[in-house]
Amino acid sequence: MVANMRLLNIDTWQMSEFISDDEIPQYAILSHTWGDEEISFQQWESKVASDNSRKKGYDKIKKFGEMAASNGFSWVWIDTCCIDKKSSAELSEAINAMFRWYKNAKVCYVYLEDVQTTTNVGGNLRHARWFTRGWTLQELIAPLDVEFYAADWQKIASKDKLCGMLSFITGIDESVLRGGRLDDVSVARRMSWASHRQTSRVEDTAYCLLGIFDVNIPLIYGEGHKAFQRLQEAIMNTTHDQSLFAWGRIVSCPAEILHQSHKLGTEAIPWKPPHERQSLLGLFAESPADFRESNDIAPVEHGYSHHHSRRYPRSIVNRGVLVSLVVYKKLTSVAYWDDPDIAQPHEVELAILLCRFGSKGSQLIGLILHSWGDDYYSRTNELVLVDLFVSQVRFESWTRQRHLLPFRPFQIRNGDILFRRWVMPIKCSWVVRPNTASGPAWRQKCGDRVLRLEKEADGDEAESFMFKLSKTKGFALTFRRLAKSFDPIGPLLIGVSPIEAIERSGIVDEQEKDIPHNWVTKHGENLNTPILSHIMNNSSDAWELDIQGLPRISAKVERILLDGGWQGAVDVVDLVIDKDMFMTQ
């Protein structure tokens, strides 16, 4: 993007506009913090000198021009009056070009209006407001020749002489301050430079970083934090560096990882209100402040990171990011429900980013991913340090595609079955359920944690989970409502039917058409009428099954009212199969 540049001639104090970089004369540029009574482009052009001259901003421009003239310059640029900010098109072009304008300046004068003396330079500089502002970050980095001036326009020193101190104050590498390549610095580290800075408008936290990352985006004032998300999208499309996603709190162990007692149900999991929980977020940060602990994070120096980026390109889908990540292991954490207030075990993933912590060693950065149904995932703000070496063969086999976006709470409704605890040492082989005109009567929602009877169903259909114990034996676990009613919902039946593999012939029962052709119930009936069952009639009921040929099964059901009963009720189920208690015939 090429923007016209308007310069102020300090011999005539007239503005001139230059179309291309080739025709722009040598100029000095000002870096400062905005205060009261700044002079706008319209005010400067109005020529009402008597009004302007009484303003602090006018005196600043005059003193800047005089300083530039004393150093041999005829042209200067200052952001207050050299941009027509009433023109959204001009403002957008200027902001996208501003890093280049500062870089191309012959010299940049930094005016520190709150530094009152040239003595005790270190103490005064450290507390200058100029170091807290978002826009001044690029104004320090872009120009090679920078001179600092106190409030009385007495020169303090040059950037070159203050380089070590400036690096200490800002966290910016000395090599970058001396003109080194920004591309050699990780995305996370560059973001950390801006993590303690503020801007007057929230959108400017993104716009002031365009030059730092050499990207361009349209300006949309009023969009709020979406501007920073668009910045990250633009960066994502220009680099393989996954440290873009390495923001948050650095931890050695994630919070809310459950102990074995919580998993098995021998110890209750305390419910927490929303403000006390880990927030479930999208892949992108909300602001540069999220990168405060990321200054020592850099991409791994391994060819696989480039291979991974080329083979698994990232994309924006449905307001989330579709990204391929190295899924290292699974852990058990907590999922929370509100109304009813429930905390339950929930499997999460530890995904590895192709970036490391520190300049040496093998500590890679991990993210905790929560699944919440339909292949959607959210992350926490934790960065988990993982001792692991990069291996292309292993990482390739562990790579999985994940769709990350901020968590969208699932709304429980009347008649749902919520599986609070589902402890199964055996994987479900298949599911049998009747169909309605619009699809299955029962649907599994929210990562299979909720069983929902669709509105088109009659109300007494069953859903059966099929488990194989061997090549010829297994059992079906059936859930069924016993009344065609939603107001109130009918009692819940839980049943078990041993199944076996035989050759079947003839007409297959409608309820069993989804069963593989050689599996039938041993008692000869369909799955709607299990041979072993219990009706949960009370508000809290339990059932245990311990017979030969089957694992020990424990079920507990609580009927919990929604909104005090105004929104109906749900059945909350704790189901445990004891893998160590198989009874042999």
Side-chain angles (χ1 to χ4, degrees):
M1 180 183 294
V2 177
N4 295 354
M5 187 178 194
R6 187 180 290 111
L7 293 175
L8 179 63
N9 186 288
I10 53 180
D11 296 321
T12 63
W13 297 107
Q14 300 293 316
M15 294 283 187
S16 293
E17 194 166 334
F18 300 90
I19 298 175
S20 69
D21 288 354
D22 293 338
E23 59 183 48
I24 296 175
Q26 289 188 353
Y27 60 93
I29 201 165
L30 181 68
S31 176
H32 66 118
T33 55
W34 281 46
D36 298 330
E37 301 181 341
E38 298 289 356
I39 302 297
S40 68
F41 170 71
Q42 284 76 19
Q43 289 171 326
W44 186 267
E45 292 290 276
S46 69
K47 308 299 183 184
V48 185
S50 59
D51 291 338
N52 288 339
S53 61
R54 290 194 293 267
K55 295 184 176 181
K56 295 178 182 178
Y58 181 83
D59 184 61
K60 186 192 302 184
I61 295 171
K62 283 289 187 177
K63 290 290 180 59
F64 166 50
E66 292 168 2
M67 181 63 66
S70 69
N71 288 301
F73 292 96
S74 298
W75 299 91
V76 296
W77 188 91
I78 182 171
D79 55 0
T80 53
C81 64
C82 290
I83 303 173
D84 181 3
K85 297 175 185 65
K86 289 191 174 182
S87 167
S88 58
E90 180 175 330
L91 180 62
S92 180
E93 289 183 5
I95 288 178
N96 275 277
M98 201 166 293
F99 186 91
R100 189 177 78 252
W101 288 350
Y102 273 90
K103 184 177 181 179
N104 292 342
K106 194 68 176 177
V107 64
C108 174
Y109 297 151
V110 175
Y111 177 59
L112 306 176
E113 63 180 355
D114 53 352
V115 176
Q116 302 300 327
T117 176
T118 57
T119 61
N120 187 21
V121 172
N124 283 305
L125 281 182
R126 187 177 294 114
H127 302 293
R129 180 170 174 261
W130 187 84
F131 290 104
T132 69
R133 308 307 297 168
W135 288 104
T136 58
L137 177 63
Q138 68 175 3
E139 295 166 12
L140 173 62
I141 292 173
L144 189 59
D145 188 1
V146 179
E147 296 179 356
F148 290 85
Y149 288 84
D152 58 1
W153 286 95
Q154 294 298 308
K155 183 176 178 179
I156 298 172
S158 67
K159 179 169 75 168
D160 185 60
K161 289 185 178 179
L162 296 173
C163 193
M165 183 182 299
L166 294 172
S167 178
F168 175 79
I169 294 171
T170 64
I172 303 171
D173 306 61
E174 286 193 43
S175 61
V176 172
L177 293 175
R178 297 186 187 279
R181 282 168 37 91
L182 279 168
D183 286 345
D184 292 338
V185 182
S186 73
V187 171
R189 186 168 179 82
R190 279 180 274 173
M191 285 289 189
S192 74
W193 298 340
S195 61
H196 295 278
R197 294 172 178 260
Q198 293 86 41
T199 57
S200 298
R201 303 191 66 166
V202 64
E203 296 87 356
D204 285 338
T205 61
Y207 303 153
C208 72
L209 297 176
L210 295 178
I212 301 295
F213 295 99
D214 193 21
V215 295
N216 299 106
I217 60 174
L219 271 62
I220 309 174
Y221 282 106
E223 65 175 331
H225 290 290
K226 290 181 182 178
F228 191 64
Q229 174 154 327
R230 289 196 298 117
L231 172 68
Q232 292 169 93
E233 291 174 11
I235 296 169
M236 184 181 72
N237 292 331
T238 63
T239 180
H240 72 279
D241 183 359
Q242 288 191 355
S243 75
L244 170 63
F245 315 130
W247 53 268
R249 298 181 299 107
I250 294 177
V251 299
S252 56
C253 180
E256 298 188 343
I257 296 301
L258 294 183
H259 302 295
Q260 191 69 11
S261 59
H262 287 127
K263 298 180 193 178
L264 298 177
T266 56
E267 187 177 345
I269 304 171
W271 180 84
K272 294 180 180 179
H275 67 275
E276 294 182 8
R277 306 171 194 163
Q278 284 280 347
S279 297
L280 299 181
L281 311 162
L283 187 58
F284 290 140
E286 185 177 78
S287 77
D290 293 327
F291 287 86
R292 284 181 178 173
E293 297 186 27
S294 303
N295 58 309
D296 284 330
I297 296 176
V300 295
E301 297 173 359
H302 193 286
Y304 179 66
S305 61
H306 297 274
H307 165 80
H308 183 94
S309 178
R310 288 190 293 266
R311 183 167 182 178
Y312 306 108
R314 298 155 295 197
S315 59
I316 303 298
V317 179
N318 296 336
R319 298 185 179 181
V321 182
L322 200 62
V323 59
S324 293
L325 297 170
V326 177
V327 178
Y328 175 47
K329 64 169 67 172
K330 295 186 178 181
L331 305 168
T332 303
S333 184
V334 187
Y336 295 97
W337 298 89
D338 302 308
D339 192 21
D341 298 344
I342 289 174
Q344 66 175 143
H346 178 56
E347 191 173 74
V348 298
E349 295 177 346
L350 177 58
I352 303 297
L353 295 178
L354 297 177
C355 50
R356 55 178 169 73
F357 179 75
S359 58
K360 296 181 181 179
S362 59
Q363 284 193 311
L364 301 182
I365 302 296
L367 302 180
I368 297 297
L369 306 184
H370 286 249
S371 64
W372 43 277
D374 299 322
D375 288 328
Y376 291 119
Y377 290 80
S378 298
R379 60 167 289 182
T380 67
N381 70 343
E382 298 168 305
L383 299 178
V384 185
L385 299 182
V386 182
D387 288 313
L388 189 66
F389 286 99
V390 177
S391 164
Q392 180 160 345
V393 174
R394 284 188 304 169
F395 278 25
E396 192 75 28
S397 66
W398 295 343
T399 296
R400 300 289 184 271
Q401 189 177 68
R402 295 292 181 255
H403 190 184
L404 270 78
L405 66 167
F407 176 63
R408 299 171 184 169
F410 181 80
Q411 187 65 48
I412 294 289
R413 76 183 189 197
N414 181 44
D416 285 347
I417 299 173
L418 171 59
F419 293 110
R420 175 169 53 193
R421 185 167 286 102
W422 180 273
V423 181
M424 295 286 177
I426 335 163
K427 287 187 176 181
C428 177
S429 300
W430 69 94
V431 177
V432 177
R433 54 193 171 191
N435 288 316
T436 67
S438 60
W442 289 92
R443 291 187 184 272
Q444 290 168 259
K445 300 283 190 177
C446 199
D448 297 343
R449 286 178 282 165
V450 174
L451 197 57
R452 171 167 290 175
L453 190 62
E454 293 298 296
K455 292 182 178 179
E456 293 81 3
D458 291 331
D460 64 346
E461 292 88 344
E463 171 145 340
S464 298
F465 298 86
M466 317 299 285
F467 297 88
K468 291 170 66 174
L469 301 177
S470 68
K471 291 183 179 180
T472 59
K473 295 180 180 180
F475 67 95
L477 182 62
T478 299
F479 295 86
R480 180 188 173 197
R481 294 253 180 246
L482 293 185
K484 296 184 177 183
S485 169
F486 283 92
D487 186 21
I489 57 175
L492 180 65
L493 175 145
I494 299 179
V496 174
S497 301
I499 59 175
E500 59 184 354
I502 63 171
E503 290 297 327
R504 289 194 295 173
S505 60
I507 299 175
V508 177
D509 189 289
E510 175 66 20
Q511 295 292 329
E512 300 180 355
K513 69 178 184 177
D514 292 330
I515 303 178
H517 73 282
N518 61 329
W519 287 88
V520 297
T521 60
K522 291 184 71 173
H523 66 295
E525 300 291 335
N526 68 40
L527 296 171
N528 245 6
T529 54
I531 190 171
L532 303 166
S533 64
H534 182 77
I535 300 173
M536 304 295 187
N537 279 311
N538 303 317
S539 59
S540 180
D541 206 347
W543 180 48
E544 285 200 6
L545 183 66
D546 189 1
I547 64 172
Q548 286 186 326
L550 293 176
R552 176 179 289 175
I553 300 174
S554 299
K556 179 183 177 182
V557 177
E558 290 183 72
R559 179 155 295 187
I560 299 179
L561 301 179
L562 298 175
D563 192 20
W566 291 99
Q567 300 297 325
V570 297
D571 286 324
V572 179
V573 176
D574 294 316
L575 193 68
V576 178
I577 293 181
D578 193 339
K579 65 180 180 179
D580 298 323
M581 296 300 295
F582 281 80
M583 305 299 292
T584 57
Q585 293 180 345

